[in-house]
Amino acid sequence: MWKGIDVSDNQGAINWAQIPKNVDFAILRSVRRSGKADHQFAANLEGCRKRNIPMSVYKYTYAATPEAARQEAQQVVALLQSYGLTGTMVWWDVEDKDVLRPLGAAKLTECIRAAQEVITAAGYSFGLYVGLYVYNEHWFDFNAFSGTRLWVARYYKGYRTMLFADEPDQSYKPPGDRWLTVWQYTSCGEIAGIKGDVDLNISYEDPAAWTQHVAEFGVIYTVSVADVWTRDQAEAIQQQLAPLGVCGVVHKVQILE
């Protein structure tokens, strides 16, 4: 397992020189609701680079339409491109109870898929962040994102402080009926270099694998055989390829080693 933190300008200025060497990854907030970069993004990115800490980003979404979701995703892509970041994992944070919950599963699924298409088309990886309540209440169609990495928040000690060195009780790990990549186990973490609370996480996969390089997977091509394959089959393949940066309607796929 790998342990890490996720941070934003809510943590203020972080002293990355004091961040422990055993921090295996960091997830940085990308853009704010305004569409502008998180106030500490540049400093946090530089801190990760200097300490060789694998990093990814997250975007808290407020998008209630596919058009708004595409706009949010384009803002994230523009930010990453402006810093020369390639293949970076973008975690799509789906948890807003006021805006997203009332949409219903079908509409919210459509919004998330619109964001995914923009992000993967730009060559970035796409993952989903949800609170356990979102998962349990089936806010959207999780099956529509089969193969997509999942980051779930489940806190089990309330607002009691947990040190970074503390090991979370694995019996509280979120449900495992789909592949769980990251567990955010507290929002009240304490770690050197950060004043106040910080979210602490465990990854069950090496975070270095979150950055996808399509070339590593060989040559990918598609053949249109729509008269043979059903739409459901085509969409299932599309979801499997999305983490590799391949988007669009895919009817048939052959991977050449």
Side-chain angles (χ1 to χ4, degrees), residues 176-228:
D177 56 335
R178 56 177 283 126
W179 189 42
L180 175 73
T181 303
V182 183
W183 173 23
Q184 185 184 80
Y185 59 88
T186 184
S187 61
C188 296
E190 182 178 308
I191 189 171
I194 298 178
K195 297 178 180 178
D197 293 334
V198 63
D199 298 334
L200 302 182
N201 304 269
I202 279 184
S203 175
Y204 299 95
E205 176 190 32
D206 186 347
W210 298 348
T211 298
Q212 297 289 351
H213 299 286
V214 176
E216 295 177 0
F217 294 87
V219 178
I220 297 176
Y221 72 91
T222 67
V223 179
S224 178
V225 285
D227 56 331
V228 177

Side-chain angles (χ1 to χ4, degrees), residues 101-158:
R101 178 188 261 164
L103 294 179
K107 289 183 179 180
L108 182 53
T109 300
E110 187 179 3
C111 291
I112 298 170
R113 180 167 288 173
Q116 181 185 36
E117 290 173 353
V118 171
I119 289 166
T120 57
Y124 298 101
S125 300
F126 183 85
L128 287 167
Y129 170 94
V130 299
L132 185 62
Y133 58 92
V134 175
Y135 184 88
N136 288 339
E137 296 172 12
H138 308 289
W139 280 22
F140 59 89
D141 182 5
F142 282 84
N143 291 327
F145 301 95
S146 176
T148 300
R149 291 179 173 89
L150 185 65
W151 174 18
V152 178
R154 183 185 190 182
Y155 310 146
Y156 66 94
K157 285 195 173 184

Side-chain angles (χ1 to χ4, degrees), residues 2-6 22-27 48 53-56 151 182 201-203 205 207 210:
W2 293 260
K3 295 180 73 175
I5 57 177
D6 64 272
N22 61 340
V23 171
D24 298 312
F25 64 93
I27 305 175
C48 289
I53 299 174
M55 56 76 60
S56 57
W151 174 18
V182 183
N201 304 269
I202 279 184
S203 175
E205 176 190 32
W210 298 348

